[in-house]
Amino acid sequence: MPMLFGMHPHQDGPLARLRRGHEDLVLELLRKHGPLSRAELGQHSGLSRTTLSDIVTELIESGAVVATAPEAAPRRRGRPVEALTLNPSAGQAIGIDFARRAVHVSAVNVAHEVIGSASEPHDPGLPWEERITLAERLVGTLADGALRLGALNAIGVGVVGPVGDPDSGPPDPCPSADLTALLRKRFEAPVLVDNNTRLAALAEATWGAAAGGQDVLYLRLSHGVGGGLVVGGSLHRGAYGLSGEFGHIAVESGDGRCSCGATGCLETVASVGAMLAAYRRAGGHADGLAALLGALAAGDPVALRTLEAAAVHIGTVLAAVCNAVGPGVIVLGGELAAAGPPLFEPVERALRAHIMPISRDRVDLRPATLGEAGGALGAIALVLHESPLLSHYPARPG
Amino acid sequence: MPMLFGMHPHQDGPLARLRRGHEDLVLELLRKHGPLSRAELGQHSGLSRTTLSDIVTELIESGAVVATAPEAAPRRRGRPVEALTLNPSAGQAIGIDFARRAVHVSAVNVAHEVIGSASEPHDPGLPWEERITLAERLVGTLADGALRLGALNAIGVGVVGPVGDPDSGPPDPCPSADLTALLRKRFEAPVLVDNNTRLAALAEATWGAAAGGQDVLYLRLSHGVGGGLVVGGSLHRGAYGLSGEFGHIAVESGDGRCSCGATGCLETVASVGAMLAAYRRAGGHADGLAALLGALAAGDPVALRTLEAAAVHIGTVLAAVCNAVGPGVIVLGGELAAAGPPLFEPVERALRAHIMPISRDRVDLRPATLGEAGGALGAIALVLHESPLLSHYPARPG
């Protein structure tokens, strides 16, 4: 369960599940057929008058459904009939990604279309209050036009680092609880928080390189190395909110101390910083990632060898995870993925060498397509999935 | 989706899901309250008369529910009332595990109680026809008394090796399609087939060492090394039916050729055969696993060192998988798990050394508790989960 505030809790008993199913059905019928009378809803849904009345009352109270004025002309027999319809200004959601060095925001309308995105880089040390103000300003630029903040169904938020279960609390001190309260107050909407790399995985499996994929492994090669798993069509969080930590799998020759406290993690050889350091140790000159990518593009053999050495470790870790979870698609994202074939080719060779031979041709390695907007879009996917209005999304895209 | 034959398919549209929910609700109400009239079922369920009538008719036709004769004494007002009740002889299921060197069978009654198990070892080369005859005979010993085969709801079957998607077919030639047809004909019941190690994982997470666990990693150390993952409360199969293949994750010093075709797999250092070979290379004398376990129990330092060397690799692979999927419980099973602390202690040390420090105290390593019956019990858990009569099981045990 992602951390959920402000929305009514869904107990998991059979009655609660049934009620949720009834709500979903009514909303799906309205989305499919357009406005319907209560009698028509009753026929289509098979629900009793009493049950349907309860469901409709709750949906109207939540703002998801509106009862439109009876038509001017009376129907064939009897009094004019009230029509129920989806609230056109409901179901909008925004996603905010509080990345390490930038804030990204995106918004969708009730038809699940992305109606705008905005980004702004900032200093890694920017205090949380200012990051939130920045997010608010960016969201404001989206609202200038299509987005109606008053109808916000929920806000999805991505943050760096682990996000714990609501029951047990986050696994480490992290700002997500305070952040949630602040955002909830400023936007007057429920807030869902999850790890932004995991959200990028969800976005790639929903709208990106693995759209529609039910079993997807996403690896992000950036200043940190992380990832996410979509398992059987659902984003996987693990028992304590720490799944997808591929950057902390030990690699053969790794002996560097990692930020996580362990040694020999993939991150110590495959992060942007680790690759720049290795390039410099090998005699290369690059003051940052752009210069390293430039050297790769220019065919600098030292840069290519540096990348290949890391790629072997990346492919080996991917093979281990593939043997464990059997994904159909692997998506490589993050700034380093921009290196293209000089990265992908050796990663793929190492992957094929270490994966079970029977699986070799069953998994597809692809570059991410959503870029830096992935976290914010994933936050929206998270919200749409949790929202009763859009609950069939993104598990069943389209 | 496991391979499913003979049971009516559950489409995944909202109406089909809703109908399934209605069936579940009616069955759960009958299990909870005992016999109910249609009017009482209507009150408890909130379903309309028409919808309820459809659901009840289908449940009666499927044999899950029986309509008992009206009570002799008429109720206070009007005619006598028919009572609906769970069919006491319905919902029984059997599990058959066609292991490499034995057939195991188990059966449960409608109350989900295991009412009997039976096993018989055989030569690894025994033809399939004879294995099936052996299974039939073993099931017959269970039927001698409690089990009523005529009311069999379904048969769950575990087999060695990968089991593919019903759509794409098995990933390799495997007997499961023929096997399914044969069993279905002999027992006149629907048959579900899955990998028996994955089924043992499901059984441990349902009734065994990790009962009630939502995120469980099961590793089996036997003549082969395999495993299974329970992810978010569901048995994970992977995109092509090949998840949980922990035995084929490459390990640091491993360079032996593996049965899978790759080199350096965990299985090449941690299987029964690999450990016996390593023990002999180190000067030990053991003609089989029992002798090796005896040497360990007697404190033979050569045996202990042999086991410890393999245990380091086992713990390292477990740490990698933990970082990737974040399980709450790791269950170690298979014949080698009988070694006890001389195995578990070094496995745990290597696991703690290589898992992300933040996760170190969040995962619990436990011995399997179901022994060789795990595969057959897991096959039953699989069937119970798929059966409309018992569909809340095993995702929500108890």
Side-chain angles (χ1 to χ4, degrees):
Chain A
M1 277 287 295
M3 296 176 80
L4 181 60
F5 299 84
M7 300 169 83
H8 65 91
H10 296 293
Q11 293 92 355
D12 206 31
L15 275 168
R17 282 197 304 277
L18 191 71
R19 186 172 189 93
R20 177 94 184 260
H22 290 157
E23 288 182 2
D24 290 347
L25 179 67
V26 166
L27 292 169
E28 195 147 322
L29 289 170
L30 292 175
R31 200 176 294 131
K32 189 171 161 195
H33 295 286
L36 294 173
S37 68
R38 282 164 193 262
E40 287 163 339
L41 265 179
Q43 284 159 21
H44 285 297
S45 67
L47 298 173
S48 73
R49 267 177 80 154
T50 319
T51 303
L52 185 60
S53 172
D54 287 352
I55 298 292
V56 166
T57 301
E58 186 156 304
L59 288 174
I60 290 174
E61 279 173 6
S62 77
V65 164
V66 286
T68 60
E71 293 164 22
R75 297 220 171 175
R76 196 145 43 100
R77 298 180 353 158
R79 59 205 170 94
V81 177
E82 173 202 61
L84 298 167
T85 180
L86 288 180
N87 184 346
S89 60
Q92 294 171 328
I94 61 174
I96 307 175
D97 180 3
F98 290 105
R100 226 177 274 273
R101 298 151 195 261
V103 174
H104 310 280
V105 303
S106 290
V108 292
N109 65 13
V110 71
H112 308 173
E113 298 156 344
V114 176
I115 53 175
S117 292
S119 270
E120 198 167 303
H122 61 70
D123 190 86
L126 191 72
W128 273 102
E129 294 69 22
E130 294 179 43
R131 292 184 195 205
I132 292 169
T133 303
L134 174 53
E136 209 174 2
R137 186 160 53 72
L138 289 172
V139 168
T141 66
L142 302 180
D144 183 6
L147 187 68
R148 296 165 65 172
L149 284 179
L152 268 184
N153 190 273
I155 299 177
V157 175
V159 294
V160 172
V163 176
D165 272 318
D167 297 336
S168 59
D172 239 14
C174 94
S176 61
D178 289 350
L179 180 63
T180 299
L182 273 169
L183 287 169
R184 201 172 145 198
K185 202 171 152 195
R186 294 216 199 168
F187 289 102
E188 293 179 342
V191 175
L192 282 165
V193 180
D194 208 336
N195 172 273
N196 61 354
T197 304
R198 199 149 51 204
L199 291 177
L202 178 62
E204 292 290 345
T206 305
W207 292 290
Q214 298 291 296
D215 290 278
V216 178
L217 191 174
Y218 171 77
L219 179 70
R220 180 181 212 158
L221 300 166
S222 179
H223 300 281
V225 174
L229 285 171
V230 171
V231 165
S234 301
L235 185 64
H236 180 52
R237 303 186 84 246
Y240 36 87
L242 278 169
S243 88
E245 296 288 355
F246 311 129
H248 302 289
I249 292 179
V251 295
E252 192 159 347
S253 71
D255 52 5
R257 190 84 184 172
C258 181
S259 63
C260 78
T263 51
C265 296
L266 177 64
E267 187 168 293
T268 64
V269 299
S271 69
V272 168
M275 286 213 203
L276 280 172
Y279 181 55
R280 287 180 201 129
R281 278 197 307 272
H285 300 282
D287 56 0
L289 178 62
L292 177 60
L293 292 175
L296 288 166
D300 171 1
V302 175
L304 290 168
R305 277 198 304 273
T306 302
L307 195 67
E308 182 163 359
V312 169
H313 291 303
I314 295 167
T316 305
V317 163
L318 289 176
V321 181
C322 282
N323 286 337
V325 299
V329 181
I330 299 172
V331 177
L332 272 192
E335 290 92 327
L336 276 168
L343 173 73
F344 280 73
E345 286 170 6
V347 165
E348 183 135 12
R349 277 197 300 275
L351 167 65
R352 307 282 172 221
H354 291 291
I355 200 172
M356 281 183 81
I358 195 178
S359 305
R360 219 169 255 162
D361 300 321
R362 294 170 186 273
V363 63
D364 204 8
L365 180 69
R366 300 176 193 167
T369 59
L370 300 176
E372 60 176 18
L377 291 173
I380 289 177
L382 181 73
V383 164
L384 298 188
H385 190 56
E386 280 302 317
S387 152
L389 182 54
L390 302 162
S391 66
H392 290 319
Y393 217 77
R396 290 165 201 89
Chain B
M1 277 288 294
M3 296 176 79
L4 180 60
F5 298 84
M7 299 170 83
H8 65 90
H10 295 293
Q11 291 93 355
D12 206 30
L15 276 165
R17 283 198 303 279
L18 190 73
R19 187 172 190 94
R20 177 95 183 259
H22 290 156
E23 289 183 1
D24 289 347
L25 180 68
V26 167
L27 292 168
E28 196 147 324
L29 288 170
L30 292 175
R31 198 175 296 132
K32 189 171 160 196
H33 295 284
L36 293 174
S37 68
R38 282 165 193 261
E40 288 164 338
L41 265 180
Q43 284 159 21
H44 285 297
S45 67
L47 297 174
S48 72
R49 266 177 80 155
T50 319
T51 303
L52 186 60
S53 172
D54 286 353
I55 299 293
V56 166
T57 301
E58 186 156 303
L59 287 173
I60 290 175
E61 278 173 6
S62 77
V65 164
V66 285
T68 60
E71 294 164 18
R75 297 221 170 173
R76 193 147 45 100
R77 302 184 342 158
R79 60 207 170 92
V81 176
E82 172 202 62
L84 298 167
T85 181
L86 287 179
N87 184 347
S89 60
Q92 295 172 326
I94 61 175
I96 307 174
D97 179 3
F98 290 104
R100 225 177 275 273
R101 296 150 196 264
V103 174
H104 310 282
V105 302
S106 288
V108 293
N109 66 13
V110 71
H112 308 174
E113 299 157 344
V114 177
I115 52 175
S117 293
S119 272
E120 198 168 303
H122 61 68
D123 189 87
L126 192 71
W128 273 102
E129 293 70 23
E130 294 179 42
R131 292 185 194 203
I132 292 169
T133 303
L134 173 54
E136 209 173 4
R137 185 160 54 72
L138 289 172
V139 169
T141 65
L142 303 180
D144 185 5
L147 186 69
R148 295 165 65 176
L149 286 180
L152 268 186
N153 191 272
I155 300 176
V157 175
V159 294
V160 172
V163 176
D165 273 317
D167 298 336
S168 59
D172 239 15
C174 93
S176 61
D178 289 351
L179 180 62
T180 300
L182 272 169
L183 287 169
R184 201 173 146 199
K185 200 171 152 194
R186 294 214 201 169
F187 289 104
E188 293 179 344
V191 175
L192 281 165
V193 180
D194 207 336
N195 171 272
N196 62 353
T197 304
R198 198 149 51 206
L199 291 177
L202 177 63
E204 291 291 345
T206 305
W207 291 289
Q214 297 292 296
D215 290 278
V216 177
L217 192 175
Y218 170 77
L219 180 70
R220 180 180 212 159
L221 300 166
S222 178
H223 299 282
V225 174
L229 285 171
V230 171
V231 165
S234 301
L235 186 63
H236 180 52
R237 304 185 83 244
Y240 35 87
L242 277 169
S243 89
E245 295 289 354
F246 312 129
H248 302 289
I249 293 180
V251 295
E252 193 159 349
S253 69
D255 53 4
R257 190 86 186 172
C258 180
S259 63
C260 78
T263 51
C265 297
L266 177 63
E267 187 168 295
T268 64
V269 299
S271 70
V272 168
M275 288 213 202
L276 280 172
Y279 180 56
R280 287 178 202 132
R281 279 196 306 271
H285 299 282
D287 57 359
L289 178 62
L292 177 59
L293 291 176
L296 288 166
D300 171 0
V302 175
L304 289 169
R305 277 200 303 275
T306 301
L307 195 67
E308 182 163 0
V312 169
H313 291 302
I314 294 166
T316 306
V317 163
L318 289 176
V321 180
C322 282
N323 286 336
V325 300
V329 181
I330 298 172
V331 177
L332 271 192
E335 290 92 327
L336 276 169
L343 173 73
F344 279 74
E345 287 169 7
V347 165
E348 184 135 11
R349 278 197 300 276
L351 167 65
R352 307 281 173 222
H354 291 290
I355 199 172
M356 282 182 80
I358 195 178
S359 305
R360 220 169 254 160
D361 300 321
R362 292 169 186 274
V363 62
D364 204 9
L365 180 69
R366 301 177 192 165
T369 59
L370 300 176
E372 61 175 17
L377 292 172
I380 288 176
L382 182 74
V383 164
L384 298 188
H385 191 54
E386 279 301 318
S387 153
L389 182 56
L390 302 162
S391 66
H392 290 317
Y393 216 77
R396 292 165 200 85

